[in-house]
Amino acid sequence: MAKSKSKKPLDESCLILPSPPFERTQTTPLEVIDTHTHILSTYNSYVKSFPPPNNNYQTLKEFVRKIVLEQGISGAVDVWCEAPMTAQFLEVVDSLAELKEEGFTYNFVVGAHPHEAKHYDEKAEVAITKAHEHPMHQDYHYDNSPREVQQQVFRKQIRTALASGLNKALTIHTREADEDCWTILSEEVPKEQKIHIHCYTDTPEFATKMLDHFPNLFIGITGVATYSSNLNTSNVLRNMSAAAQPLSTPDLDTTKPSGLRVVLETDAPFMTPAALQKSGKKLPFSTSAMLPWTAEYIAKVLNEGRDPECLWTTEDVLRVARDNAKTLYGV
């Protein structure tokens, strides 16, 4: 009987990525912001993949410094979407905020993920309200919470966020819920509201409908856009292409917002870009440092059929996405 080959474990050095897939053409500083990541979950994935005491990074702060900041990521929007709130929330937020002195901008989003909607009660709402950030939405892909409960909690979180008067962006998780999502957004949310549609994988038609109605809405693009099984996200980008001009366009009016209404996100520890493979296999988890490979893919899609003299570069995508993140979150 033939012996099965044991899988050779990945060395921790795999987390130090190759040089990003682009050459700098502009002299101004390039800031790269991950607009949707789960830093504590990513660190927990790291500890699971590379258990202590022999791993390199004994603290979350050290992990973020070495694996995120020192690999070219200058900031992140960290998403906390559990109900009830994770006990480590304040400890993590305070710790990572200290990295500002080293050039890392830390911000966070708080709300109940649709899978957690069934656990959303008055206690959870009080905790989330105290954290004073953004709501999440509906996910009919798994139905981990009943759909009617997801809808009720979604409306409730939107109303709580808008009533706060803080004028924060709404972070929306929607999947396979186009009709219900549109009904609730159009009924509850002012047209000028800043909205981030996280990790968009639904139909191009729904994206166009939202973009046309909400002028301050941006589509979040993750590594899942690079997967051959996902055609929708690439088609959303193709629909933006005509109105999205690269930064090298002659006489480009840089005072006007770009037609490329996207922000970059990793959803780490999930959604590793397809191009990042080690020995033909995906890395054990994703990190914010992988954003340039998603930007590279976006540029490739935008350049389909475009004049060779006026092409998008990966750096263009990173810079436009950075400006959009500033518009959306003020970071």
Side-chain angles (χ1 to χ4, degrees), residues 24 49 76 81 109 118 208 231 242 244 289:
R24 292 282 299 275
S49 299
C81 52
V109 166
K118 58 182 178 290
T208 298
L231 301 179

Side-chain angles (χ1 to χ4, degrees), residues 38-52 55 60 63 80 82 86 88 92 269 285:
H38 306 276
I39 294 178
L40 180 59
S41 294
T42 304
Y43 183 67
N44 288 340
S45 295
Y46 163 73
V47 171
K48 182 178 179 181
S49 299
F50 308 102
N55 56 4
L60 173 63
F63 174 81
W80 299 79
E82 299 79 16
T86 303
Q88 295 163 278
V92 170
F285 54 88

Side-chain angles (χ1 to χ4, degrees), residues 68-318:
V68 179
L69 175 58
E70 292 187 7
Q71 293 198 87
I73 305 302
S74 49
V77 179
D78 189 17
V79 178
W80 299 79
C81 52
E82 299 79 16
M85 291 284 292
T86 303
Q88 295 163 278
F89 170 68
L90 290 177
E91 177 186 348
V92 170
V93 167
D94 289 344
S95 174
L96 295 182
E98 294 174 356
L99 289 174
K100 183 176 182 180
E101 297 179 358
E102 300 177 37
F104 185 76
T105 302
Y106 177 79
N107 291 270
F108 62 86
V109 166
V110 173
H113 191 283
H115 294 172
E116 303 291 321
K118 58 182 178 290
H119 303 303
Y120 188 86
D121 54 17
E122 185 175 349
K123 183 178 179 180
E125 182 167 335
V126 168
I128 288 171
T129 301
K130 283 184 178 180
H132 69 73
E133 285 274 0
H134 325 277
M136 308 296 286
H137 176 40
Q138 304 169 132
D139 187 331
Y140 291 173
H141 187 72
Y142 295 111
D143 277 340
N144 286 358
S145 289
R147 295 186 178 191
E148 61 274 13
V149 174
Q150 292 187 47
Q151 293 168 25
Q152 292 166 7
V153 169
F154 183 39
R155 286 185 186 271
K156 196 168 188 178
Q157 290 191 87
I158 287 176
R159 292 170 184 173
T160 299
L162 296 179
S164 73
L166 294 169
N167 193 31
K168 300 291 186 178
L170 305 181
T171 300
I172 307 299
H173 175 117
T174 181
R175 181 165 48 171
E176 299 175 18
D178 294 11
E179 184 175 340
D180 290 335
C181 181
W182 172 252
T183 296
I184 294 171
L185 284 179
S186 60
E187 291 178 357
E188 300 285 350
V189 179
K191 287 188 67 172
E192 300 300 319
Q193 175 65 40
K194 293 177 289 187
I195 302 172
H196 175 182
I197 305 296
H198 153 61
C199 189
Y200 192 83
T201 57
D202 286 322
T203 66
E205 293 77 17
F206 183 41
T208 298
K209 189 174 185 178
M210 290 189 293
L211 289 163
D212 287 348
H213 185 80
F214 296 104
N216 295 313
L217 180 145
F218 295 87
I219 301 294
I221 308 293
T222 67
V224 77
T226 69
Y227 299 172
S228 59
S229 59
N230 173 25
L231 301 179
N232 281 342
T233 309
S234 295
N235 286 331
V236 170
L237 294 169
R238 292 183 180 102
N239 287 347
M240 290 185 187
S241 182
Q245 299 303 312
L247 299 182
S248 59
T249 302
D251 302 320
L252 179 68
D253 186 351
T254 57
T255 64
K256 293 182 179 179
S258 172
L260 184 62
R261 287 169 58 187
V262 303
V263 288
L264 292 172
E265 47 174 284
T266 58
D267 203 17
F270 315 107
M271 314 295 183
T272 303
L276 280 172
Q277 307 270 337
K278 294 288 183 179
S279 301
K281 297 178 182 178
K282 287 185 179 179
L283 294 165
F285 54 88
S286 74
T287 71
S288 295
M290 298 178 181
L291 281 178
W293 283 265
T294 299
E296 177 189 40
Y297 179 81
I298 292 172
K300 178 182 176 182
V301 173
L302 293 174
N303 286 335
E304 293 175 357
R306 190 177 288 275
D307 183 346
E309 300 298 319
C310 193
L311 296 177
W312 280 89
T313 66
T314 299
E315 183 181 5
D316 284 346
V317 174
L318 289 168

